[in-house]
C-alpha cells in the first residue's frame, strides 16, 4: 500500500469567508463540489466543508483524508491489519474512497484518483 499524502479536514461555518484565506495560505485555487448536502472546497492540503450540522457531525468523526495509490490494495491491507471498513470502496468526486476505523478507534478516509 502506497500512501501519497494527507489532507486536513476542516469544518467551517461560512465557506465563502474561509476559502479566500486558505487559497492565499496554500497558494492555489479551491476546487469546489457538493456532496450529500455539504459544500466542499479543496485547496492545497486542506479540505474545507460547510453544511447542515447533522451532516458535519458525521464528517467531524473522520480525522483526515489519506491519498493512496490504490483503494483496493488499501482495503486489503487495512483488513489484514484488523481495521473495520465502515464504508466503500465507492466512487466520489475526488476519486474512489473508503472509510476505515483503525484498531485504535481512529477513523480515516482513504482515496485514490483512479476513475
Amino acid at each position: 500500500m502506497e500512501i501519497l499524502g494527507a489532507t486536513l479536514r476542516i469544518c467551517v461555518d461560512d465557506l465563502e469567508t474561509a476559502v479566500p484565506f486558505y487559497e492565499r495560505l496554500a497558494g492555489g485555487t479551491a476546487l469546489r463540489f457538493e456532496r450529500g448536502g455539504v459544500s466542499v472546497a479543496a485547496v492545497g492540503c486542506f479540505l474545507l466543508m460547510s453544511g447542515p450540522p447533522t451532516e458535519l457531525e458525521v464528517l467531524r468523526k473522520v480525522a483526515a483524508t489519506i491519498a493512496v495509490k490504490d483503494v483496493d490494495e488499501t482495503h486489503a491491507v487495512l483488513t489484514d491489519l484488523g481495521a473495520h471498513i465502515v464504508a466503500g470502496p465507492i466512487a466520489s468526486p475526488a476519486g474512489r474512497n473508503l472509510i476505515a476505523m483503525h484498531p485504535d478507534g481512529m477513523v480515516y478516509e482513504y482515496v485514490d484518483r483512479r476513475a
Side-chain angles (χ1 to χ4, degrees):
M1 177 177 113
E2 185 176 346
I3 295 176
L4 305 175
T7 301
L8 304 171
R9 299 164 64 93
I10 304 167
C11 295
V12 298
D13 292 330
D14 184 354
L15 196 63
E16 297 311 313
T17 300
V19 165
F21 172 85
Y22 284 96
E23 284 180 330
R24 188 153 181 210
L25 181 66
T29 302
L31 169 66
R32 295 174 181 241
F33 57 93
E34 297 280 326
R35 178 119 193 241
V38 174
S39 297
V40 180
V43 57
C45 66
F46 303 101
L47 187 65
L48 309 173
M49 300 172 287
S50 183
T54 54
E55 295 290 331
L56 294 180
E57 182 181 337
V58 173
L59 295 173
R60 282 187 172 100
K61 293 178 181 177
V62 179
T65 297
I66 301 170
V68 295
K69 187 172 182 180
D70 184 335
V71 163
D72 293 326
E73 179 185 3
T74 300
H75 183 279
V77 170
L78 288 168
T79 301
D80 286 346
L81 292 172
H84 169 67
I85 306 304
V86 176
I90 61 169
S92 78
R96 296 178 324 121
N97 73 347
L98 66 81
I99 306 290
M101 180 184 293
H102 292 187
D104 61 9
M106 294 299 297
V107 178
Y108 296 94
E109 174 186 38
Y110 290 86
V111 64
D112 65 22
R113 301 293 185 239
R114 293 172 50 185

